[in-house]
Amino acid sequence: MIGTTLKTSKSEEIFAAAQKLMPGGVSSPVRAFRSVGGNPIVFDRVQGAYVWDVDGNQYIDYVGSWGPAICGHSHPDVIKALHEALEKGTSFGAPCMLENVLAEMVIDAVPSVEMVRFVNSGTEACMSVLRLMRAFTGREKLIKFEGCYHGHADMFLVKAGSGVATLGLPDSPGVPSSVASNTLTAPFNNLEAVKILFEENPDQIAGVILEPIVGNAGFIPPDAGFLAGLRELTREHKALLVFDEVMTGFRIAYGGVQEKFGITPDLTTLGKVIGGGLPVGAYGGRKDIMAMVAPAGPMYQAGTLSGNPLAMTAGIKTLELLRQPGTYEQLEQITKRLIDGLLQIARDAGHAACGGNISGMFGLFFTEGPVHNFEDAKKSDVNKFKGFHRGMLEQGIYLAPSQFEAGFTSLAHTDADIDRTLEAARTVMGQI
Ligand SMILES: *Cc1c(COP(=O)(O)O)cnc(C)c1O
């Protein structure tokens, strides 16, 4: 049995109060510990590869605020730039030069993006891009993949990943069936299923949206030829291909999955990393499509705080740090050491395990694998994961509190951090 040596009395107290104030005590369901047991740890501060809770415990962090903290939390350059930007005010509600700077950086980096619109979250980026897909094609239906998460807008809450998958929820009440019926789903990595959907719905499908590397059903990379096959199928049926790179953008490579795999979609959504820890989302793509967006064109989409100067500043600084030579090699090297080590330790302890990484994004399932889609991912022994998560937490390692979430490293994680993590895993894998 895993010990309960961790002192969490302050966390418990704050969370008990939070539960009376906010549904489930959290501002986002993925932060709750429902699927791993116990109560969430309440954070006090974050720095580099580490987080500290309100009881003074320190953890090595593999969540990184769910992705944005790719340079390490509170990077001094980002904090300094934010201090300077703060002196000029917190919000303009008018054009600001910083928007040009970040837009240019995104356009230079991401192959599909010729023009970009900034919003405040990944959810907003995805719901706006869907409106744009429909406006441009004049078609209403959409294909998404089981276990992929594209934020919580109605039309994406069909067989969705992330918290929906973690909590084992059916499609959410409150989503009108008339809306959900326009969302068609296929298993990830299954081109044949997509082909059939196109054949069954001729001239009705606006496009296909996917996480080109899945992170919201656990970590699932695309099979060879899958992305290229989708590119071909969408072209053939005059539908749009949209990569939701909210998680993978500037994480897998500076230009995202589309640069790494050499497949260029028509439109792309971004978030997480481009906000450098502040709330930012973006969507962009071909100029002729983006020209539909108001006020250039008729498709309406707006935002009081969009292009916020503080958020732009954090994004710009973060991308400046990431575009230095060697950053993605460093992320790959450290993350591969971590996941190879974890898999070896799991197998040595007699557990079925599979997983992998691409750059600073990784995942581990307690099943023989291989995992090609959400059905495969669900074969993972979630009870074992629960024991693993709790044990690692006790050892000072903070992992996402769900089997169905990818893990993240940062440029601040050192070999010593990986050593300590693997040492903790040796103890815990032997106990579960
Ligand atoms: C996180 C995420 C979103 C939603 O972004 P929010 O900022 O949480 O609204 C959308 N798509 C993907 C792939 C994500 O990982």
Side-chain angles (χ1 to χ4, degrees):
M1 196 48 215
I2 290 159
T4 47
T5 50
L6 201 61
K7 186 181 159 287
T8 57
S9 52
K10 275 193 186 156
S11 269
E12 298 286 344
E13 196 183 305
I14 292 167
F15 187 66
Q19 282 181 290
K20 297 197 186 98
L21 302 167
M22 296 170 283
V26 290
S27 296
S28 182
V30 294
R31 298 176 196 171
F33 275 31
R34 291 279 168 101
S35 75
V36 291
N39 285 326
I41 301 299
V42 177
F43 284 14
D44 180 51
R45 67 193 173 92
V46 294
Q47 176 71 61
Y50 310 119
V51 302
W52 285 265
D53 69 16
V54 287
D55 289 283
N57 302 302
Q58 179 183 346
Y59 307 85
I60 302 174
D61 178 27
Y62 292 104
V63 180
S65 188
W66 301 92
I70 191 166
C71 299
H73 290 290
S74 317
H75 191 285
D77 293 2
V78 177
I79 299 292
K80 183 167 170 281
L82 278 172
H83 275 296
E84 284 161 16
L86 192 55
E87 294 296 323
K88 294 184 168 188
T90 55
S91 175
F92 296 168
C96 129
M97 176 61 195
L98 295 165
E99 293 167 84
N100 292 22
V101 177
L102 188 58
E104 204 155 31
M105 290 174 97
V106 170
I107 289 164
D108 283 349
V110 186
S112 67
V113 179
E114 296 172 354
M115 261 191 171
V116 64
R117 164 64 58 87
F118 291 114
V119 293
N120 303 290
S121 70
T123 291
E124 234 188 290
C126 292
M127 62 184 262
S128 306
V129 96
L130 176 57
R131 186 176 304 138
L132 181 55
M133 289 160 76
R134 287 171 163 168
F136 186 77
T137 59
R139 301 172 177 180
E140 293 204 346
K141 288 183 182 169
L142 153 88
I143 297 177
K144 78 176 280 288
F145 295 91
E146 293 161 17
C148 279
Y149 182 67
H150 306 294
H152 62 80
D154 282 354
M155 44 287 177
F156 294 121
L157 285 186
V158 180
K159 298 195 177 167
S162 189
V164 184
T166 301
L167 299 171
L169 297 175
D171 300 337
S172 177
V175 175
S177 53
S178 58
V179 169
S181 65
N182 279 321
T183 303
L184 313 173
T185 60
F188 195 73
N189 277 325
N190 189 332
L191 272 181
E192 199 48 42
V194 178
K195 201 180 260 172
I196 290 169
L197 288 175
F198 270 115
E199 281 160 11
E200 286 174 347
N201 299 273
D203 303 324
Q204 294 170 58
I205 295 169
V208 176
I209 187 169
L210 73 155
E211 295 178 61
I213 295 172
V214 182
N216 285 295
F219 170 80
I220 310 175
D223 292 345
F226 180 60
L227 299 179
L230 290 177
R231 182 62 285 185
E232 240 170 75
L233 270 175
T234 45
R235 274 217 181 98
E236 187 185 323
H237 293 276
K238 298 190 167 48
L240 298 173
L241 179 63
V242 183
F243 281 5
D244 177 356
E245 297 227 42
V246 169
M247 184 183 286
T248 55
F250 296 95
R251 169 155 295 274
I252 291 304
Y254 193 67
V257 177
Q258 51 199 277
E259 178 203 82
K260 182 104 181 166
F261 286 70
I263 305 291
T264 306
D266 301 297
L267 293 164
T268 299
T269 54
L270 295 162
K272 298 191 168 113
V273 171
I274 60 156
L278 271 81
V280 182
Y283 62 101
R286 271 166 40 196
K287 236 177 209 161
D288 60 321
I289 308 177
M290 291 304 289
M292 298 242 12
V293 179
M299 190 215 85
Y300 199 69
Q301 186 274 309
T304 300
L305 293 174
S306 296
N308 174 271
L310 294 179
M312 296 294 105
T313 298
I316 292 163
K317 268 296 149 192
T318 299
L319 299 199
E320 278 177 5
L321 291 163
L322 285 173
R323 74 181 175 194
Q324 320 225 332
T327 48
Y328 291 92
E329 289 78 359
Q330 183 184 333
L331 286 168
E332 171 65 31
Q333 186 262 334
I334 210 113
T335 316
K336 185 157 174 41
R337 247 198 90 210
L338 173 70
I339 190 64
D340 285 354
L342 289 175
L343 287 171
Q344 189 60 49
I345 290 163
R347 287 171 188 147
D348 287 350
H351 303 300
C354 70
N357 80 290
I358 300 179
S359 181
M361 179 172 166
F362 68 93
L364 169 119
F365 293 109
F366 286 105
T367 174
E368 285 300 339
V371 171
H372 292 289
N373 55 41
F374 188 40
E375 276 308 306
D376 295 341
K378 283 194 283 191
K379 290 178 193 146
S380 185
D381 185 337
V382 287
N383 262 326
K384 218 168 243 185
F385 179 82
K386 184 174 169 177
F388 178 61
H389 182 271
R390 187 71 215 174
M392 293 299 271
L393 194 70
E394 302 275 343
Q395 298 279 333
I397 312 296
Y398 191 80
L399 301 170
S402 165
Q403 172 68 89
F404 303 111
E405 299 284 359
F408 302 112
T409 54
S410 78
L411 292 169
H413 285 77
T414 62
D415 274 314
D417 293 323
I418 304 299
D419 289 339
R420 236 185 80 203
T421 306
L422 294 179
E423 198 183 299
R426 258 183 287 276
T427 306
V428 176
M429 289 285 191
Q431 292 170 332
I432 58 175

